[in-house]
Amino acid sequence: QVQLVESGGGLVQAGGSLKLSCAASGHTFSFVILKMGWFRQAPGKEREFVAAITWPHHTYYAESVKGRFTISADHANDTVYLEMNSLKPEDTAIYYCATSARGGISARGGEYDYWGQGTQVTVSS
């Protein structure tokens, strides 16, 4: 079983920073991780794409977070990070990481196969 565990969420004030991490485990040669992404979902709203990284170096960001968030990965430890700076109240959501055995950057949730349980990020005004 592929497992993803997010961590690093919390409560911060607007303008602050937070760094999320997501560690993947349980995958084998039958499931080669080719990309990982971050999505978020606020209460009553649809899940939206945040950022993605394709091994080893391609990245893609939602326009709403471009310039503020940075996605990176420690491939040796199968861990992806999301550094969030200049946080805004509208960034408040549960953040989920996801992974896919399919290559190519994608902002569509359907392109990802496994999902973590999420970590709450709350940005106060």
Side-chain angles (χ1 to χ4, degrees):
Q1 295 180 310
V2 176
Q3 296 179 319
L4 300 175
V5 180
E6 303 100 332
S7 62
L11 173 64
V12 298
Q13 292 186 335
S17 300
L18 207 60
K19 188 173 184 178
L20 308 181
S21 64
C22 174
S25 63
H27 51 286
T28 67
F29 64 89
S30 64
F31 188 90
V32 180
I33 295 175
L34 294 181
K35 64 173 175 283
M36 297 186 76
W38 287 97
F39 294 76
R40 66 187 183 187
Q41 186 169 25
K45 298 182 179 180
E46 296 182 351
R47 179 183 61 192
E48 66 175 347
F49 170 79
V50 176
I53 183 167
T54 298
W55 298 170
H57 59 273
H58 292 108
T59 59
Y60 179 62
Y61 299 91
E63 197 66 30
S64 61
V65 306
K66 188 176 297 183
R68 299 189 298 119
F69 292 10
T70 301
I71 187 170
S72 61
D74 179 354
H75 190 48
N77 293 302
D78 293 322
T79 302
V80 65
Y81 304 93
L82 184 68
E83 182 179 356
M84 304 181 292
N85 299 309
S86 301
L87 283 163
K88 305 174 181 179
E90 51 262 45
D91 294 318
T92 295
I94 298 176
Y95 284 70
Y96 300 90
C97 70
T99 188
S100 174
R102 295 183 288 275
I105 289 289
S106 178
R108 298 178 62 86
E111 295 294 321
Y112 295 82
D113 303 299
Y114 294 91
W115 297 78
Q117 295 300 307
T119 185
Q120 177 71 48
V121 172
T122 302
V123 184
S124 61
S125 60

